[in-house]
Amino acid sequence: MEPRGEKSGEADGVRVTPQLLKARSGEFSLESILLLKLRGLGLVDLGCLGECLGLEWLDLSGNALTHLGPLASLRQLAVLNVADNRLTGLEPLAACENLQHLNAAGNLLAGPAQLQCLAGLRGLERLRLRDPLARLSNPLCASPCYWASVRELLPGLKVLDGERVSGRGSDFYQLCRDLDSSLRPGPGTSAPRPAEAQPWVEPSYWEAWPPRSSSILEEACRQFQDTLQECHDLDRRARDSLAQAERVLGPAGAAAASFVF
């Protein structure tokens, strides 16, 4: 499914409000929200979303958004899904310095110039601009040099459209691409057109669970360190007891301890 030019209910689209955010997250304070799922709500305006300064994981897929202005203030944002919207640019994301994963498939990004704003995001490792299973893409993906141009613009990427482009395992994906290219019919030749592949699971089947908040991880690490320290203390006490027993039961202390049972 390509980006939709019209979305049902767009005329009376939804605007993000504090009440909506609190109802969806269960948090009283907007700055306390870490994870937020606003998928398929008919959103046309992000409203006060920029006030969620602690937000780390955000799903805005399946809406009618045309701009992401309020996201520029979300400096802690690490995972963002804006798939299946009507975006023609991603400029506000240039300020999201902690962004690591971005899904922008199914929008109206026309060329590599619309990705230039991501070049300064040193932590960006995963980018999706097309999703065959969900039938989502962007106009720029139709270019023959799409893959190479994105790699050149964003050399720090490790995964593009679900395929590894660098790091361990990337050579396997490159081999598959080379094999696919070698099997394509050359100029002037014709080949039967294969049937279009159909998804065998729902689009959200492979969706990753939201990462746990930093505070939860910190508490888990603290408890682990406390447990590890207790183990060290028990080990030291056991060694001391064994050493004392050896002294008592050894040749020097055998006579003195022979009456002890």
Side-chain angles (χ1 to χ4, degrees):
M1 185 172 108
E2 297 297 324
R4 293 173 285 183
E6 297 290 339
K7 286 184 181 281
S8 60
E10 185 172 348
D12 54 346
V14 179
R15 174 185 173 88
V16 174
T17 63
Q19 293 76 17
L20 174 64
L21 296 177
K22 293 176 182 179
R24 300 291 295 189
S25 67
E27 296 286 350
F28 179 77
S29 170
L30 297 187
E31 294 188 8
S32 300
I33 300 176
L34 299 177
L35 313 174
L36 194 57
K37 188 172 185 177
L38 301 176
R39 166 187 272 180
L41 299 182
L43 297 177
V44 297
D45 192 326
L46 294 180
C48 63
L49 188 58
E51 298 178 25
C52 302
L53 300 180
L55 201 58
E56 298 178 0
W57 188 94
L58 176 61
D59 186 352
L60 293 170
S61 61
N63 288 292
L65 298 172
T66 58
H67 65 89
L68 301 174
L71 301 190
S73 61
L74 305 183
R75 304 300 176 88
Q76 303 303 316
L77 191 62
V79 179
L80 174 62
N81 186 349
V82 290
D84 195 15
N85 278 279
R86 298 180 59 193
L87 301 171
T88 57
L90 303 171
E91 287 76 13
L93 301 185
C96 300
E97 53 194 27
N98 284 322
L99 192 62
Q100 300 174 16
H101 299 185
L102 172 61
N103 185 349
N107 282 281
L108 303 173
L109 304 176
Q114 278 67 51
L115 304 179
Q116 184 64 48
C117 57
L118 306 178
L121 301 178
R122 303 304 178 191
L124 185 63
E125 296 182 348
R126 295 174 177 263
L127 175 65
R128 182 178 287 279
L129 297 172
R130 61 182 175 187
D131 187 343
L133 286 179
R135 301 183 187 179
L136 297 175
S137 187
N138 279 277
L140 67 88
C141 300
S143 170
C145 59
Y146 155 69
W147 192 272
S149 60
V150 175
R151 288 290 315 280
E152 181 179 1
L153 181 63
L154 305 172
L157 283 181
K158 293 183 178 179
V159 179
L160 175 59
D161 296 338
E163 296 186 14
R164 279 198 170 272
V165 295
S166 65
R168 185 176 181 181
S170 59
D171 50 349
F172 170 75
Y173 287 99
Q174 183 61 49
L175 178 62
C176 292
R177 285 192 294 272
D178 293 342
L179 181 60
D180 183 62
S181 298
S182 66
L183 294 176
R184 292 175 183 170
T189 61
S190 60
R193 185 175 181 179
E196 183 178 0
Q198 300 294 325
W200 57 279
V201 294
E202 293 296 329
S204 60
Y205 182 83
W206 298 110
E207 180 179 355
W209 287 95
R212 296 186 177 183
S213 65
S214 300
S215 57
I216 296 176
L217 292 177
E218 291 174 357
E219 177 61 18
C221 290
R222 187 188 64 78
Q223 293 182 13
F224 176 78
Q225 292 295 337
D226 291 344
T227 303
L228 185 61
Q229 184 59 47
E230 291 178 5
C231 291
H232 285 311
D233 293 339
L234 289 172
D235 180 70
R236 178 176 49 78
R237 289 165 58 186
R239 290 176 180 273
D240 292 343
S241 298
L242 289 173
Q244 184 178 3
E246 289 176 355
R247 289 194 299 270
V248 172
L249 299 177
S258 60
F259 62 93
V260 179
F261 293 92

